[in-house]
């Protein structure tokens, strides 16, 4: 069973970042995050649980500015489980000598394990063994088990088990001057071996109730010494003291239930937490169910690779699984029924305060072909905020729906107006909300989900309305240039966040961003297609509801044929109008002066310069088009617009931009590695390995301590799927065209599409396709360009 | 446009029940109920809004018993809109002379209209014209418009517009000794023309916020006289005074927004209510959208009948639409995303306190073939309560999941233990919770939804687990009778609530209820079928999760072949073992003594007798089997069990039980009318017309004032669809076999199934089928037993 665990067995120093990456355990409903190993003292031990969909807006002072700060909220600490010998100090890892230490994240079971032996100031040696998990099968439950062995001492041992509502949001140093306290205490209580605590988020008024049951065992038998319970308003604890002989071991089991006032199928959340706890079985029974739940998820989602040599690619397997693991912590069948999106840092860190960006576009391809029902839930999260997006468009003098760049709990724009450059110490105006392209990503995601599932009910009930409103938005953003006889989109930002304007223009924004203009045309084409697909009555209803006129759709058609694209050099699509007039950056000189120049923006700003002057980008922008579309689709769009499209230009375009990208966004390497999978396998593999290191590696410029980068994580898995396994959906057929890198001999995985389920085994010499479910009469697949039709239970071997 | 309105134009006396039936306006999220016309004085005018899914449990004193009382909660009164002339009394319909009165429920637009002229004690004649609606297209909004015309007077007029949190649950007289107050006040406020109020349900802590905007117009121009605002903790009001000249008319528009803390896509509910209100357009714009939203729903759901003569069948059309209208008030596309079930009284009345029973089984057939996405949402309501049902089974020493007879907010059993006989004044033990057959209805509904939609994702994610747990429950309820070599189910109640035990046995419950035993076998067969259908990985996951053993499924198979059915007479399935030994009831004698004997239980109990002694039932029990299954399906089940099945026995069985049914349940006529549609059209039509009168008619025994009977309402529509239009799903084909009653010449309606959409026009001489959407290559239909395949956009005419 290799490739299933991340292990750290040196206490000092595992990198803090690595430890953080390790410590995430949750399941999309009840996710835990913990500083983990440092200490078990109550005040320091600061694990946290994210309340799905429960944000919190607080006005806070930053310098002389009031910033509306919407955070996700860490829920009361349920891990708090301290101990002390006699009247000694409460156990604190920093105050003892660590004799041995081993920590393991067991991803197969979703379990965090820790074994350590310590010697205290009085020479007493204690062995401690911990296990904990948040239950993937019973999403309201979590559990931990601690063994304490008195190796060379005897005496009274006191266990303190608490629920602590004094948690803050303190995970991002830069936010420390913002209000960190988002929980108000409501009540605590206890009953026998159970304690409970109820809090409320201070602005959104979401109530959070936890109930915990603590039991002690010696030699397999439960012990019931008396308990001393301390009930404060924001914390409740039970102290349990028992006598240990030398060599005695006590086992503490703590099972916790969490409910919020937003839960379905409850009466009052405190009652619900106590009821859930009362029906929870033993720790061991819960663990067995946890193992089964994870076994199923891995059966659906694992990307099992067989490395060419055990060296480099061995860790590739482990890291790929870590990335899938984080995805499943953030979103899973358990979150399908919740009103939550995917924050860019997953549920791991507080950076970006839980706002929702466009990262989904890198995550949904993986989900669509594995658990599309999760994508559906996440698209509904957007649909429920359609009214807010409509209001935003209207407030900006535009039509349709304009989703925000940073989406807060109710869908309002939460992008910052200024941001701090830690290199220069200056506050810089932030125009990132001009990234209207999030509205193309949402349309793209909606359509791709429909393509992957053929879920007409979704299209009909939700997707069509979103696509129409998004097309309308893009159409309203386009202006007609009489002189050119072309439509233009002016004053926006593309995905490349290093360019937010022209060096010589006061107003922010760029004209004719190639990516945005092509996407606008694509969105409009899909909206027109949707109008064709809908049954007459439903089309009528939507057209009436949206007050969509024939003039409007006629203009859509016109825009879809006359949108302007700007090219430079030898037919290369310009990132925006005027790109060709920018200076070339002195990449080498800058690297010589600064070392790591991924964050080119900060480096240049500190030098009094700006990336706006240079042909230098943070991340793929034009190249996103090749990432999102097949050559065929792009050719169709170009031809509709009356522009030439040829393969040679594609290569030149990729070369042009890859040479001018700092990869300052973790998403850039994903795009570029995918694009080069076929054209330059070695370069692709290097970028892929680099992308794998984003969070696991210990780059000084990294921000993993503020939360992992979920888009890049899942994107890296997608490189294997789309880039190396060559799996893509084309219409109603699954296309499989593997191009295994040298380092990988075999890829095994499962794919679902349009109700079919296939198990694939891709090797150098053969390719096996097993049909696990056939939704209709046949499953259509295309293997290396050749179409085939498979039937239920068929196992087909395709030799190379 | 006939058949779209219910009109009352005599003020005194429209029956109170009729008035109540009229006054329901809502849309499943934000439903209103009003005493309506009696008075507009704030204190008396008591309209109410149901908070979907927001129940409330309160211990209350009844006699010497504490009853756990879970009510649905009336939300703060937003209709409160009083006026007075000068310093005179606030307008009160009871204190003036009514010169003319007309009230209309316009179902086509979902609008309640009222026109009246009154003369006060000082001879002043005022004309008042009201409109109001709860918005079907914007489910958080409602609006009302009032015109006040000073016919023969001049002077100051003061409008008082309020939000009033002092509402109680007072709609059911029998519950008046229970706690009626379920709302605690939180806060009120105002800003310009807007007032707002926030309350919280006292036990479940659901917060409810309302915001209202009141505007005045004269001659089409807004007037803005100063406002005097009164903010109390539980009530907020604005008084606006303006001077009217003789013949002047003022128009008051009040637009209201409602949000609760359970809403998705909000931050805090008070903020959400104010935001929703701020983005609401004018009354007229909202009304236009309301009309469009209803036009679409009627396009999907209307059953358009052309009566043979304009006399009797004319009102049939109106009442059928009233029944569909009530369904759409209770559940609609707006409630699809909410965690709500269908209460038996809809959202109209407080009887049964919002608990969820088995009525769905009469309602889903209509929804499945029109808007199955609503059924899906309602089945998820059950799925979310599966854990609670598991706990209930376990607590009763059974396996699997046992859904309660009366399901409370979190899915717990809320059936009463005693009930009051108003005839005798005695409290009677209530064994209704022994109606385990609700667990067959839920399985049946789950499977029928899957059949109607082919929604494998639902089956796979939710339905399969429910079906397996329900099969397991039934299997655990069955005991093996060694002597007979048959399984038996002992000590339960069937649908017939007049039989809860044997006259000579102390313990309640009956043995081998025919309906329950057959349903148990059917549920077990479907569960075994589901295990076959699931892909291997998913089956493994479920089997592991449920710890389903091979011994268990082997026993299922055994039960499905050896369940005992008890017959009497000439092969008639006995309602339960021992039915044949009961006495025949003296129906005529009893009718002579008591008149209406539908509530036979109360009549007999008052005489010191009990229906348990007689072959007399409240409602269809055995006959439910013929209602739910085709003859073919029943034959298959009988044959599997080794019992003979022939058509002649079917007829005898129907005759036997119809002759012994008091139709004490509103659902009984629905079943019997359906069964007789072909065999005895005249009897069927009589029962159908009787069923139509359940709520609209003014029967002394009726309980419409406590809420309409939604199951019977929708069931009556289903008589037309299944019984008269002869529309049924058979596998993947739609079977159409009309048998129009004499009184109906033509039925036009729309049907959706498995992604197809058809428009049907059934006439005496021909039958037209138009394909509005074809999900695959063809739509399979069977017309009068002949199979046909239709393609997209095809319109096929089948002559008779």
């Amino acid at each position: 069973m290799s490739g299933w665990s991340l292990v750290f067995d040196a206490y000092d120093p595992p990198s803090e970042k690595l430890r953080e990456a390790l410590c995430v355990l949750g399941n999309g409903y009840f996710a835990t995050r913990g500083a983990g190993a440092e200490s078990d003292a109550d005040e320091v031990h600061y694990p946290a649980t994210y309340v799905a969909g429960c944000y919190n807006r607080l006005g806070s002072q930053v310098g002389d500015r009031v910033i509306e700060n919407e955070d996700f909220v860490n829920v009361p600490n349920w891990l708090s489980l301290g101990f002390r010998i006699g009247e000694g100090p409460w156990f604190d890892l920093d105050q003892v000598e660590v004799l041995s230490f081993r920590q393991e994240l067991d991803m197969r079971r979703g379990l965090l394990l820790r074994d350590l032996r310590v010697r205290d100031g009085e020479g007493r040696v204690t062995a401690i063994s911990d296990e904990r998990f948040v239950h993937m099968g019973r999403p309201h439950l979590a559990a931990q088990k601690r063994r304490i062995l008195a190796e060379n001492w005897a005496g009274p041992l006191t266990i303190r088990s608490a629920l602590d509502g004094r948690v803050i949001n303190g995970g991002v140093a830069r936010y420390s001057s913002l209000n960190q306290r988002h929980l108000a205490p409501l009540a605590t209580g206890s009953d026998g071996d159970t304690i409970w605590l109820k809090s409320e988020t201070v602005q959104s008024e979401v109530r959070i109730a936890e109930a915990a049951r603590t039991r002690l065992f010696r030699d397999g038998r439960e012990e019931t010494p008396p308990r001393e319970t301390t009930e404060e308003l924001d914390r409740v604890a039970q102290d349990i003291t028992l006598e240990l002989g030398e060599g005695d071991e006590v086992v503490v089991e703590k099972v916790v239930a969490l409910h919020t006032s937003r839960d379905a199928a409850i009466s009052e959340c405190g009652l619900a937490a106590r009821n859930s706890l009362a029906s929870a079985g033993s720790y061991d029974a819960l663990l067995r169910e946890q193992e089964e739940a994870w076994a199923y998820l891995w059966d659906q989602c694992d990307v099992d690779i067989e490395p060419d040599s055990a060296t480099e690619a061995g860790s590739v397997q482990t890291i790929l699984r870590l990335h899938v693991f984080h995805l499943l912590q953030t979103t899973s069948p358990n979150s399908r029924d919740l009103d939550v999106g995917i924050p860019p840092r997953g549920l791991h860190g507080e950076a970006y305060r839980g706002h929702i960006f466009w990262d989904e576009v890198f995550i949904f391809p993986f989900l669509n072909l594995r658990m599309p029902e999760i994508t559906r839930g996440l698209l509904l999260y957007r649909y429920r905020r359609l009214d807010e997006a409509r209001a935003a468009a209207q407030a900006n003098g535009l039509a349709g729906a304009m989703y925000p760049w940073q989406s807060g709990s109710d869908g309002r724009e939460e992008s910052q107006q200024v941001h701090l450059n830690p290199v220069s110490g200056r506050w810089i105006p932030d125009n990132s909300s001009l990234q209207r392209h999030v509205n193309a990503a949402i349309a793209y995601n909606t359509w791709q989900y429909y393509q992957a599932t053929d879920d007409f009910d979704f299209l009909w009930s939700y997707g069509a309305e979103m696509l129409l409103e998004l097309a309308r938005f893009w159409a309203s953003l386009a202006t007609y240039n009489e002189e050119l006889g072309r439509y233009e989109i002016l004053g926006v930002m593309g995905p490349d966040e290093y360019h937010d304007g022209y060096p010589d223009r006061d107003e922010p924004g760029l004209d004719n961003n190639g990516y945005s203009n092509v996407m606008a045309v694509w969105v409009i084409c899909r909206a027109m297609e949707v109008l064709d697909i809908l049954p007459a009555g439903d089309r009528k209803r939507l057209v009436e509801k949206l007050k969509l006129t024939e003039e409007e759709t006629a203009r859509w058609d016109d825009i879809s044929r006359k949108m302007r694209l700007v090219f430079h050099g030898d037919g290369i699509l310009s990132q925006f109008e005027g790109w060709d007039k920018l200076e070339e950056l002195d990449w080498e000189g800058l690297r010589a002066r600064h070392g790591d120049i991924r964050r080119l923006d900060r480096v240049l700003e500190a030098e009094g310069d700006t990336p706006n002057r240079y042909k230098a980008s943070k991340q793929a922008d034009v190249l996103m088009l090749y990432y999102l579309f097949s050559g065929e689709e792009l050719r169709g769009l170009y031809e509709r617009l009356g522009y030439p499209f040829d393969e040679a230009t594609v290569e030149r375009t990729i070369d042009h931009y890859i040479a001018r990208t700092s990869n300052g966004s973790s998403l850039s390497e994903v795009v570029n590695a995918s694009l080069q999978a076929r054209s330059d396998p070695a370069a692709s593999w290097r970028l892929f390995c680099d992308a794998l290191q984003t969070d696991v590696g210990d780059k000084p410029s990294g921000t993993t301590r503020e939360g992992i980068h979920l888009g890049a994580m899942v994107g890296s898995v997608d490189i294997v799927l789309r880039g190396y396994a060559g799996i893509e959906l084309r219409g109603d057929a699954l296309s499989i065209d593997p191009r295994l890198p040298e380092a990988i001999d075999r890829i095994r995985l499962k794919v679902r599409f349009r109700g079919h389920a296939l198990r694939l085994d891709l090797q150098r010499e053969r390719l096996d396709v097993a049909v696990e479910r056939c939704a209709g009469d046949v499953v259509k697949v295309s293997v290396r360009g050749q179409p085939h039709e498979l039937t239920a239970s068929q196992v087909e071997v395709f030799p190379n």
Side-chain angles (χ1 to χ4, degrees), chain A:
Chain A
M1 283 293 199
S2 70
W4 284 109
S5 281
L6 281 171
V7 177
F8 298 88
D9 47 17
Y11 172 57
D12 193 5
S15 89
E16 188 189 346
K17 283 176 56 189
L18 274 168
R19 238 186 296 123
E20 286 228 14
L22 254 184
C23 292
V24 175
L25 269 176
N27 61 10
Y29 183 84
F30 187 176
T32 66
R33 189 175 62 78
E38 296 93 330
S39 166
D40 274 298
D42 284 346
E43 311 316 315
V44 184
H45 196 154
Y46 169 59
T49 304
Y50 167 88
V51 180
C54 141
Y55 299 105
N56 199 5
R57 177 191 263 232
L58 285 174
S60 302
Q61 212 61 22
V62 183
D64 58 350
R65 290 179 190 81
V66 172
I67 300 231
E68 286 288 292
N69 170 29
E70 174 168 274
D71 273 300
F72 69 64
V73 177
N74 292 311
V75 303
N77 179 5
W78 58 270
L79 283 168
S80 180
L81 188 65
F83 67 89
R84 66 175 177 178
I85 303 170
E87 296 296 313
W90 292 99
F91 175 71
D92 180 347
L93 205 53
D94 290 338
Q95 306 300 321
V96 293
E97 181 188 357
V98 178
L99 303 175
S100 72
F101 180 91
R102 183 181 188 280
Q103 181 161 303
E104 176 185 358
L105 175 67
D106 176 345
M107 296 184 285
R108 194 172 53 83
R109 301 190 290 163
L111 199 58
L112 187 66
L113 304 154
R114 191 177 56 162
D115 286 295
L116 64 158
R117 289 179 65 239
V118 299
R119 180 158 45 212
D120 68 12
E122 301 182 34
R124 292 179 292 208
V125 176
T126 308
I128 301 154
S129 172
D130 288 340
E131 283 181 19
R132 71 182 207 230
F133 63 94
V134 175
H135 210 298
M136 186 54 94
R138 298 178 175 264
H140 294 282
L141 296 180
Q144 56 174 320
K145 182 179 195 167
R146 165 165 289 179
R147 296 169 184 279
I148 301 169
L149 171 63
E151 287 202 8
N152 66 349
W153 54 270
L157 176 80
T158 301
I159 306 290
R160 172 171 287 179
S161 176
L163 294 171
D164 187 353
R166 297 170 192 164
V167 295
I168 59 167
N169 274 25
V172 178
R174 284 172 294 129
Y175 299 169
S176 60
S177 60
L178 306 177
N179 187 336
Q180 296 181 309
R181 191 164 293 282
H182 299 296
L183 280 183
L186 289 176
T188 56
S190 66
D191 183 12
D193 61 7
T194 296
I195 52 178
W196 53 270
L197 176 143
K198 196 166 158 188
S199 308
E200 180 177 69
T201 61
V202 293
Q203 193 276 333
S204 52
E205 297 181 350
V206 177
R207 295 184 167 188
I208 304 165
E210 290 178 356
R213 179 186 77 202
T214 310
R215 289 182 180 165
L216 270 56
F217 299 86
R218 185 149 37 176
D219 298 329
R221 280 193 308 278
E222 185 170 358
E223 301 224 341
T224 53
R227 293 165 188 237
E228 194 180 312
T229 304
T230 310
E231 292 178 18
E232 296 163 273
L233 189 57
D234 54 5
R235 186 174 174 283
V236 56
Q238 283 186 330
D239 286 359
I240 319 167
T241 303
L242 69 177
E243 282 292 328
L244 289 195
E246 190 172 323
D248 274 6
E249 184 186 66
V250 63
V251 178
V252 188
E253 294 182 4
K254 184 172 178 181
V255 178
V256 185
L258 182 147
H259 278 269
T260 84
S261 56
R262 287 190 171 279
D263 288 346
I266 65 164
S267 171
E268 180 269 323
C269 63
L271 188 63
R274 292 192 290 281
N275 284 347
S276 281
L277 186 67
S279 68
S282 69
Y283 177 91
D284 290 343
L286 290 173
L287 178 56
R288 272 195 303 280
E289 292 170 344
Q290 163 83 346
E291 290 167 356
E292 289 165 4
W294 271 102
Y296 174 73
L297 285 184
W298 284 119
D299 179 60
Q300 303 293 313
C301 295
D302 191 29
V303 179
D304 183 3
I305 62 171
E306 201 165 281
D308 165 67
S309 73
T311 52
E312 188 187 30
S315 73
V316 168
Q317 175 72 84
T318 310
I319 298 171
L320 279 178
R321 287 196 175 126
L322 180 72
H323 291 183
V324 175
F325 180 78
H326 266 290
L327 175 66
L328 295 173
Q329 301 289 21
T330 307
T331 190
S332 75
N334 294 321
S335 65
R336 177 181 179 179
D337 201 20
L338 302 175
D339 183 42
V340 293
I342 296 202
R345 303 310 188 92
L347 301 185
H348 175 254
E350 295 162 14
Y352 302 129
R353 308 176 183 87
H355 299 154
I356 308 302
F357 294 65
W358 75 319
D359 305 62
E360 299 156 351
V361 82
F362 298 94
I363 292 168
F364 286 178
F366 179 86
L367 289 175
N368 281 343
L369 295 186
R370 267 141 213 93
M371 298 197 286
E373 59 276 13
I374 298 178
T375 311
R376 191 186 211 267
L378 291 163
L379 288 171
L380 286 185
Y381 177 83
R382 294 294 194 177
Y383 179 80
R384 295 187 194 103
R385 286 150 184 84
L386 184 57
D387 274 342
E388 188 71 26
R390 285 190 179 107
Q394 203 180 5
N396 280 265
L398 296 165
M402 183 174 85
Y403 282 94
W405 177 241
Q406 292 198 24
S407 182
S409 57
D410 59 3
R412 70 186 171 281
E413 176 65 86
E414 281 285 346
S415 292
Q416 62 277 15
Q417 307 294 309
V418 291
H419 65 245
L420 180 69
N421 180 355
V423 181
S424 69
R426 278 193 289 268
W427 285 91
I428 316 295
D430 190 315
N431 298 308
S432 59
S433 70
L434 287 175
Q435 292 187 65
R436 305 299 180 216
H437 64 84
V438 63
N439 292 286
I442 292 170
Y444 180 86
N445 293 338
T446 301
W447 186 255
Q448 292 304 319
Y449 166 78
Y450 171 58
Q451 288 299 302
T453 58
D454 200 27
D455 181 353
F456 188 76
D457 170 61
F458 170 81
L459 187 73
W460 167 85
S461 298
Y462 309 109
E465 188 174 351
M466 287 168 77
L467 283 164
L468 291 172
E469 287 289 51
L470 289 167
R472 172 179 251 174
F473 163 75
W474 283 108
S476 76
L477 204 56
T479 50
Y480 189 64
N481 182 324
E482 293 278 354
E483 209 167 310
L484 298 170
R486 286 270 183 190
Y487 290 88
E488 301 187 298
I489 294 176
L490 309 176
V492 301
M493 275 177 72
D496 172 18
E497 292 191 310
Y498 288 173
H499 285 93
D500 67 349
Y502 292 99
D504 53 358
R505 195 194 278 179
D506 284 345
E507 315 81 67
L510 300 157
D511 299 338
N512 293 309
N513 170 254
Y515 174 72
S516 299
N517 285 20
V518 173
M519 292 306 289
V521 171
W522 182 87
V523 174
I524 287 170
C525 287
R526 292 296 76 69
M528 294 191 295
E529 188 172 347
V530 159
L531 284 177
D532 277 348
I533 294 172
L534 289 179
D538 301 299
R539 181 170 54 241
K540 178 167 180 290
R541 160 77 180 127
L542 258 187
V543 165
E544 276 182 1
K545 179 175 179 184
L546 307 183
K547 300 176 183 65
L548 193 64
T549 63
E550 281 181 29
E551 292 70 38
E552 210 172 346
T553 46
R555 186 166 177 270
W556 288 6
D557 189 70
D558 203 42
I559 294 173
S560 79
R561 296 171 194 281
K562 294 187 191 158
M563 178 66 79
R564 183 178 171 206
L565 301 183
V566 179
F567 298 91
H568 69 270
D570 199 4
I572 292 170
L573 180 61
S574 292
Q575 188 171 313
F576 46 80
E577 191 177 356
W579 170 267
D580 56 329
K581 298 190 180 63
L582 301 183
E583 297 173 36
E584 292 286 0
L585 184 74
D586 174 16
W587 293 87
E588 290 317 310
L590 217 56
R591 271 201 192 95
R593 290 203 297 283
H594 295 277
D596 187 336
I597 56 165
R598 284 163 182 264
R599 291 307 303 260
L600 202 57
D601 56 337
R602 293 177 178 171
V603 167
L604 289 175
E605 200 274 333
E607 291 191 349
D609 204 350
T610 162
N612 277 333
R613 291 182 52 218
Y614 301 103
K615 289 186 180 117
S617 59
K618 181 183 184 185
Q619 68 200 98
D621 192 299
V622 164
L623 296 190
M624 282 296 298
L625 294 172
Y626 302 113
Y627 181 69
L628 297 181
F629 299 118
S630 68
E632 224 171 304
E633 283 175 292
L634 265 189
R635 177 186 300 278
L637 289 167
Y638 271 59
E639 287 177 353
R640 186 179 183 94
L641 293 169
Y643 292 113
F645 184 89
D646 68 273
E647 283 301 324
T649 314
V650 175
E651 296 298 322
R652 275 202 308 280
T653 307
I654 292 177
D655 291 346
H656 177 86
Y657 287 109
I658 284 189
R660 289 166 180 81
T661 302
S662 79
N663 287 329
S665 159
S666 59
L667 300 168
S668 191
E669 285 158 342
V670 167
V671 174
N672 296 338
S674 251
L675 293 186
Q676 293 187 303
R678 195 175 293 269
S679 60
D680 189 345
S684 169
W685 183 256
R686 278 196 305 275
L687 280 171
F688 170 66
C689 290
D690 221 27
L692 288 183
Q693 291 298 313
T694 304
D695 287 311
V696 172
D698 205 6
K699 296 174 193 159
S701 64
T703 56
T704 302
R705 73 182 58 208
E706 301 173 355
I708 48 92
H709 298 75
L710 195 62
M713 279 187 157
V714 184
S716 75
V717 184
D718 195 52
I719 296 171
V720 177
L721 301 173
R722 277 203 280 184
Y724 303 150
I727 294 169
E728 270 174 302
L729 194 68
R730 295 281 169 87
D732 59 352
L734 190 77
S735 168
I736 313 170
D737 188 5
R739 36 209 155 172
L740 298 185
E742 281 180 22
I744 295 179
D745 276 347
R746 187 179 191 178
I747 304 175
R748 277 174 294 187
L749 54 91
K750 203 164 158 177
V751 173
R752 274 171 53 198
F753 71 103
R754 298 195 173 209
H756 310 301
L758 304 180
R759 201 173 276 281
L760 308 183
D761 184 351
L762 317 177
Q763 303 179 53
R764 293 215 182 278
E765 63 281 2
R766 57 188 274 188
L767 188 165
D768 299 3
V769 182
V771 179
E772 293 211 329
R773 178 172 193 264
C774 177
D777 296 330
V778 295
V779 188
K780 293 185 191 168
V781 297
S782 150
V783 177
R784 299 198 172 80
Q786 295 301 311
H788 300 271
E789 294 195 341
L790 309 179
T791 53
S793 305
Q794 188 173 348
V795 181
E796 191 66 27
V797 178
F798 300 93
N800 277 6

